Amino acid sequence: MPDPAAPPTSPVPLAALLGRRDLGLRHLAGPAADESAVHWVHTSEMADPYPYLLGGELLLTAGVQLSDPDRYVARIVAAGGAALGFGVTPVYDTVPAALAEACDRHGLPLVEVPPGTPFTAVARAVWGLMAEARHHELRRVSGAQQALAAAAARPDPVPSVLHRLATRLDGRAVLFGPDGVARWAAGREPGAEARDALAALAPVVRPATGRSAPASATDTAGSVHLAAYAIAGSEGLVLGVATAHREPGDHTIAGVAVVLLSLLTAPRQGADESARSAALVRLLLGAEPADVAPLLGDGPWTVVHAHGEGTPPPLDSPLVDARADTVRVVLPADRSVRPHPGWTLGVSAPAAPGDLAAADAQAGRALRRAQASRTPLVRHGGTGIAALLDPDEAAAHARALLAPIGEPLRETLRSWLALHGSWDRTAVALGVHRNTVRQRIARCTTLLDADLDDMDVRTELWLALRGR
């Protein structure tokens, strides 16, 4: 059975859908509804729906081409379908008994959709339940981030973070040393099997001589879910987590704890660097900018989002938030940011400490534009081609390109280009005769040694005149 593709939001328990009285759905056969989760909804009247399923669907059908119920159900199960919803009328007055028997035999939940319930109403209910689940998960993750950040500010930060993590995940959190011995632990201790399995999982993410290691790893011991996370910059520390259940946001919550533990266990920083690192982490975890501005200083500051492989860009800042896909850095606005081989960068506009959240969003948008345009570095400051240019480099190029012509000619050329080469409109805008405009543009053509009828030339000159 194929694994379901990643759903857009959290899956919905089939039992929650059956609980919607307005739909009137009935569970007729197959496993109990609380054992199944729906990732999405698909409607099909194909005799063989297998090629059209991704896995995890509630498949809705009226049985238009239902000729062999056993094979039909077997194909849905082989595709990884979560459940079958059968609509009675207009093809069948009742759900065929052979279909119910096949669902019992193959272990597929069968749901009756009554005549008064359109398939679109079922789909809309599933999407609504997914949205509710997603909002609930976001609130849960946000609350956990705030709680972990508060724990990191306590006098005993490491055990406090572990205790808060274990409480939020309703499980066990252990910090293993390089020797594999548990240094701190919090939460309910699992059984011996899970405890030993978690200790055995920790070395998987701990780098060793001659080999690299993944940042995280998962396993199970009986019904207990296990996860291990490498603590960056700590020379071999590993966070281990054991829980009875695994929720969609658990990995994100554990990731926040990993970032905090990385900072708390890293080699001692200077007082200023330590304060600024703490300020950045608090900002990213939702603290009010006014609460952390005193730690950052007056600024202005620039936020950089970087994505790539290999050695990160030399941005020379302790305010770094390194994640699996994107590195986020806060650095003084006067610090130079240049393209770096193998990396794509998005740079925000300079911002005061209280505006860092907006600057963070600017850097994110700039990075997405850089990735879309395959440009090494994009700075915030508008959209279009001009936003892709380094301001200093663009100004230097403009000065060199426009050096042969003086300001009167530049002003005429700027107006003429802005008005799409119209002699009359340019003359009106400048308050001169149209023949004067023609003479000046001809002079520009000669001095610049450029063909102003060429659109590429016009575009380059327009950008230069705007950016000089």
Side-chain angles (χ1 to χ4, degrees):
M1 179 190 304
D3 292 332
T9 59
S10 303
V12 171
L14 183 59
L17 187 62
L18 292 173
R20 289 283 300 267
R21 293 186 178 181
D22 57 314
L23 298 177
L25 306 178
R26 284 200 307 146
H27 179 223
L28 299 183
D34 57 4
E35 298 177 6
S36 302
V38 175
H39 291 273
W40 30 50
V41 179
H42 180 63
T43 300
S44 174
E45 297 300 339
M46 304 297 294
D48 181 9
Y50 181 95
Y52 308 97
L53 301 181
L54 296 173
E57 296 92 348
L58 167 62
L59 177 63
L60 300 175
T61 182
V64 174
Q65 298 193 58
L66 181 65
S67 58
D68 186 346
D70 188 79
R71 182 178 184 278
Y72 184 78
V73 172
R75 293 291 282 170
I76 296 173
V77 172
L84 174 64
F86 194 88
V88 294
T89 66
V91 182
Y92 289 87
D93 293 330
T94 60
V95 178
L99 183 63
E101 293 170 0
C103 286
D104 280 330
R105 189 161 47 250
H106 292 283
L108 180 70
L110 174 62
V111 175
E112 179 191 69
V113 182
T117 301
F119 285 174
T120 53
V122 177
R124 187 166 57 245
V126 169
W127 305 138
L129 290 169
M130 283 183 173
E132 291 178 9
R134 179 60 175 165
H135 291 157
H136 170 77
E137 199 59 39
L138 287 174
R139 289 192 296 270
R140 174 175 174 261
V141 170
S142 178
Q145 289 177 334
Q146 295 287 349
L148 289 167
R154 292 177 60 87
D156 51 347
V158 172
S160 294
V161 168
L162 291 176
H163 174 74
R164 196 60 58 90
L165 178 64
T167 301
R168 289 286 172 167
L169 299 185
D170 191 24
R172 181 78 166 173
V174 183
L175 189 63
F176 294 100
D179 54 1
V181 176
R183 292 190 176 181
W184 290 280
R188 291 195 314 271
E189 186 169 354
E193 179 187 2
R195 184 183 64 244
D196 294 343
L198 185 62
L201 184 64
V204 174
V205 300
R206 185 180 294 116
T209 304
R211 74 168 180 87
S212 59
S216 64
T218 60
D219 198 0
T220 56
S223 61
V224 179
H225 298 274
L226 309 175
Y229 303 87
I231 304 299
S234 63
E235 300 179 353
L237 293 180
V238 174
L239 171 64
V241 177
T243 57
H245 307 281
R246 181 169 293 165
E247 302 295 333
D250 286 359
H251 181 73
T252 301
I253 294 172
V256 174
V258 169
V259 171
L260 292 170
L261 291 171
S262 297
L263 289 169
L264 295 170
T265 59
R268 185 65 61 185
Q269 299 174 320
D272 290 343
E273 292 184 353
S274 178
R276 289 178 177 178
S277 293
L280 176 63
V281 171
R282 293 180 197 175
L283 272 175
L284 295 178
L285 297 182
E288 291 295 329
D291 295 339
V292 299
L295 295 176
L296 284 173
D298 295 333
W301 299 86
T302 299
V303 180
V304 179
H305 284 206
H307 177 85
E309 298 179 356
T311 305
L315 297 176
D316 189 24
S317 172
L319 304 177
V320 178
D321 174 41
R323 303 193 177 191
D325 56 346
T326 302
V327 175
R328 298 198 287 183
V329 183
V330 174
L331 69 164
D334 59 0
R335 195 81 50 84
S336 175
V337 180
R338 299 292 180 188
H340 187 70
W343 286 75
T344 304
L345 286 79
V347 184
S348 76
D355 297 324
L356 281 177
D360 185 49
Q362 292 173 2
R365 290 192 296 269
L367 176 60
R368 290 192 292 273
R369 290 203 304 272
Q371 292 172 322
S373 60
R374 298 183 180 179
T375 303
L377 184 149
V378 168
R379 300 175 188 273
H380 175 79
T383 58
I385 297 175
L388 307 179
L389 305 177
D390 179 276
D392 296 336
E393 294 179 0
H397 177 72
R399 287 192 297 270
L401 181 64
L402 300 173
I405 61 177
E407 186 58 37
L409 291 180
R410 293 182 187 181
E411 185 61 25
T412 300
L413 181 59
R414 182 187 297 106
S415 297
W416 184 74
L417 291 172
L419 295 172
H420 310 291
S422 171
W423 307 111
D424 292 331
R425 293 170 63 193
T426 303
V428 172
L430 297 176
V432 298
H433 195 276
R434 64 195 307 269
N435 288 339
T436 302
V437 175
R438 288 182 179 274
Q439 293 169 2
R440 290 180 181 177
I441 296 301
R443 184 64 174 160
C444 289
T445 299
T446 301
L447 294 176
L448 295 173
D449 190 23
D451 180 7
L452 296 185
D453 291 328
D454 187 322
M455 184 54 67
D456 289 339
V457 173
R458 289 193 184 195
T459 301
E460 185 177 14
L461 288 170
W462 175 247
L463 291 173
L465 288 165
R466 288 187 62 191
R468 66 184 180 87

